[in-house]
Amino acid sequence: MRLLNNPFIHFYLNNVLLKKYVKKVALVLVLICITHFGKAQCQNLELMSTSLGQCQPALFKWVVKNAPAGSSFTWDFGSKPQQGRDTFYAFIQAAGKVSVSVTIKFTDNRICTLTKPNFVEVFAKPIPTFYSSRTKLCNGADTITYFDVTKNSVKRSWVIDGVNYNNALVKQNHAFISTGIKKLSLIVEDHNGCKAIKEFDTVAIIYKNISIDLIGDHTTGCVSQSVKFKPLLNSQGIKITSYKWTFPGGFPVNQYSDNPDTVKYNTAGIYSPSLEIKAENGCIKTFIKPNYLTFGHKDTLSIKISDTVICKGLSIRVENMDKQLKGVFTWSLPKTASFNTIDKFSCEVTYNKAGKYDVNVTYNYNGCIANKTLINAIRIKDVQAQFISTDYYHCLLPHTVHLTNLSKSDDLGKMKYTWKIFSNNTVVHTSNNTNDSFKLTAEGNYDVWLETKHVNGCSDIIKR
């Protein structure tokens, strides 16, 4: 309380602080007036643009409407301010949003400033970008697929090796028809309607195709086998820089010259040699000759015959007993025999003529041939039923028909006979005589049936 009663303090409060307060109030009032005055000066003025967005580079037309005649204009859109008129053309190359400010000085020196942040936008041009399925072809002209990966692209056209693809899809296939270095151009349009074109050099290098093959001087037979290989190449004038041979199952397995050493195969099997070459252009070609070499080994054949002595017309089975063999059996048989394959190891044979027959089989295992022949291994027995009659036809009844038996066999031994006479499929007479006779008492046709049985077990029947 004593401090407030101090005269010096009273003087400071009443004079110095009051003046500072008055100055601050006055300054605020001035700012309010200036702001109000500035707004009043810009009334009815409007800043307009004929477009709010254009593709890079852009040319905008800006207009200040309702500006008094004789006014001067200073335009500012990010670079240094420029003098102009109420209509101003701005050429802008950089992409992005642009804030625009224009200061208008009236004839009475009053000033109005119009400002529009991010007033217009310059859209960046799309940058044509693509990738391809391949860029290097070593097998001659072929098809390559191209993909447009330009950011925001909605339309595109391609010019690939002189071929136009207008309004194409994102994925474009092109079949090249010649070798060499290839170019393309890509024209794209993005979602803003901005377009760009770009030419690309060396999008593909297409080399002539090098044809490759190989041959060996032995490709089949029995092990062990020595094989000399050589390449068959048409390099199209392209230099071959390296060779790599691979000989599965052989020794050595790998070699690296155009003239490989002899390769030795000691194990039966089927082998696929291969050759890989590299050309001076960096192309690598690999050729595999599948199942080119077939080498086998000789196996012991064990032949079994189901019956060595049979009657004509019956079947026997001939087979190899070892069912583990991997090769192919071929059976040699006479023309008078009929043949039926049962499986790869056996067959069924029917002999249609009596006699003695050899059994011959050829076994082929990957070109390694083994033969086995059994001389006179099979004997075919035979009996033939036969008869004649010199008086089988007569006009007067009764009549006796005489039947003379002519049955025969290559084997010695007795034969037994059975005669049957049929009338309308009914047996009217039977006999076991060697020769027979039958007395006819009624007109008609009669069938004669003779069965001949040999003691060797063979039989035959004739019906006339």
Side-chain angles (χ1 to χ4, degrees):
M1 297 297 293
R2 292 179 180 178
L3 182 62
L4 293 175
N5 294 327
N6 190 312
F8 177 78
I9 295 301
H10 277 279
F11 175 80
Y12 179 81
L13 292 173
N14 293 329
N15 292 279
V16 177
L17 290 180
L18 181 60
K19 291 180 179 179
K20 288 184 178 181
Y21 175 76
V22 171
K23 287 182 179 180
K24 287 183 178 180
V25 172
L27 180 59
V28 171
L29 292 174
V30 170
L31 291 175
I32 292 173
C33 291
I34 291 174
T35 302
H36 178 74
F37 178 78
K39 289 183 177 179
Q41 301 303 316
C42 293
Q43 285 183 353
N44 299 323
L45 298 184
E46 185 178 1
L47 175 58
M48 301 183 67
S49 177
T50 55
S51 64
L52 297 179
Q54 292 186 25
C55 297
Q56 182 186 30
L59 179 63
F60 290 102
K61 179 182 178 182
W62 299 325
V63 177
V64 177
K65 285 192 171 183
N66 304 319
S71 301
S72 62
F73 302 83
T74 302
W75 297 85
D76 188 356
F77 49 94
S79 59
K80 65 180 181 179
Q82 301 181 41
Q83 300 296 319
R85 298 182 178 180
D86 59 347
T87 299
F88 187 81
Y89 292 90
F91 180 72
I92 305 174
Q93 299 191 61
K97 293 185 178 181
V98 180
S99 297
V100 179
S101 176
V102 57
T103 300
I104 307 158
K105 186 177 182 180
F106 304 116
T107 54
D108 59 1
N109 292 325
R110 290 178 300 153
I111 294 175
C112 168
T113 300
L114 300 176
T115 300
K116 287 197 174 183
N118 299 328
F119 184 36
V120 293
E121 183 176 0
V122 179
F123 303 125
K125 290 174 61 176
I127 301 175
T129 309
F130 75 93
Y131 75 88
S132 61
S133 59
R134 295 181 290 175
T135 59
K136 182 178 181 180
L137 300 182
C138 292
N139 300 323
D142 201 352
T143 298
I144 296 179
T145 303
Y146 293 93
F147 301 86
D148 173 23
V149 292
T150 306
K151 185 178 180 181
N152 297 325
S153 68
V154 294
K155 295 181 181 179
R156 79 233 14 106
S157 295
W158 304 83
V159 181
I160 306 174
D161 199 26
V163 179
N164 295 322
Y165 299 97
N166 295 319
N167 297 320
L169 299 175
V170 171
K171 175 182 176 181
Q172 180 63 54
N173 293 324
H174 178 74
F176 290 95
I177 60 175
S178 62
T179 59
I181 298 175
K182 304 301 178 180
K183 301 179 179 180
L184 71 75
S185 296
L186 177 58
I187 305 98
V188 295
E189 180 178 334
D190 65 12
H191 62 298
N192 291 317
C194 298
K195 297 180 181 180
I197 180 172
K198 187 174 181 180
E199 183 175 305
F200 299 86
D201 296 325
T202 317
V203 296
I205 301 178
I206 304 176
Y207 295 103
K208 294 179 180 179
N209 182 40
I210 298 176
S211 63
I212 177 173
D213 198 348
L214 61 86
I215 59 170
D217 59 353
H218 294 93
T219 61
T220 187
C222 304
V223 291
S224 66
Q225 283 281 344
S226 295
V227 183
K228 180 67 176 176
F229 292 93
K230 69 177 181 179
L232 297 177
L233 302 177
N234 182 0
S235 65
Q236 302 278 7
I238 303 171
K239 182 179 179 181
I240 307 302
T241 59
S242 68
Y243 296 79
K244 180 182 178 181
W245 297 84
T246 302
F247 305 110
F251 180 82
V253 175
N254 296 113
Q255 296 192 48
Y256 300 91
S257 70
D258 61 338
N259 184 26
D261 296 331
T262 299
V263 181
K264 191 169 185 178
Y265 293 86
N266 295 317
T267 305
I270 300 175
Y271 302 106
S272 304
S274 65
L275 172 60
E276 177 185 285
I277 61 169
K278 186 175 182 180
E280 61 182 348
N281 57 20
C283 290
I284 297 175
K285 296 291 292 289
T286 301
F287 175 76
I288 300 175
K289 203 154 190 175
N291 304 328
Y292 181 56
L293 307 174
T294 55
F295 298 132
H297 53 74
K298 288 188 176 181
D299 292 294
T300 300
L301 303 181
S302 177
I303 305 302
K304 178 184 177 181
I305 304 173
S306 60
D307 286 298
T308 59
V309 180
I310 62 171
C311 296
K312 182 187 74 172
L314 300 180
S315 298
I316 62 172
R317 179 168 178 156
V318 183
E319 62 182 321
N320 188 74
M321 297 302 294
D322 188 352
K323 307 302 182 183
Q324 303 302 315
L325 299 185
K326 300 179 180 179
V328 177
F329 291 87
T330 302
W331 307 91
S332 297
L333 300 169
K335 294 181 179 179
T336 55
S338 58
F339 174 83
N340 179 39
T341 300
I342 298 176
D343 53 41
K344 66 174 292 185
F345 302 103
S346 58
C347 66
E348 188 177 73
V349 187
T350 302
Y351 292 88
N352 300 312
K353 186 177 181 181
K356 293 182 178 180
Y357 295 94
D358 299 339
V359 173
N360 181 274
V361 61
T362 300
Y363 175 70
N364 186 337
Y365 179 29
N366 292 341
C368 184
I369 307 298
N371 290 291
K372 188 167 186 176
T373 301
L374 303 178
I375 304 298
N376 293 331
I378 298 174
R379 186 171 75 88
I380 304 302
K381 302 178 294 181
D382 186 20
V383 63
Q384 293 181 350
Q386 187 60 271
F387 68 89
I388 62 171
S389 175
T390 59
D391 53 3
Y392 66 93
Y393 179 86
H394 204 274
C395 295
L396 298 176
L397 293 176
H399 174 69
T400 299
V401 176
H402 297 86
L403 303 171
T404 303
N405 193 336
L406 299 179
S407 298
K408 62 181 181 178
S409 174
D410 292 335
D411 289 344
L412 298 176
K414 293 183 177 181
M415 292 183 283
K416 294 181 179 181
Y417 311 101
T418 300
W419 297 89
K420 292 181 181 181
I421 308 297
F422 292 85
S423 176
N424 296 322
N425 296 321
T426 300
V427 177
V428 296
H429 172 78
T430 61
S431 170
N432 296 116
N433 299 324
T434 300
N435 299 305
D436 199 13
S437 61
F438 174 66
K439 187 176 182 179
L440 302 177
T441 59
E443 294 182 359
N445 294 318
Y446 297 84
D447 295 328
V448 179
W449 184 89
L450 171 62
E451 179 183 25
T452 302
K453 291 184 178 180
H454 197 282
V455 292
N456 63 13
C458 297
S459 65
D460 189 29
I461 295 175
I462 184 173
K463 186 177 183 181
R464 296 168 59 186

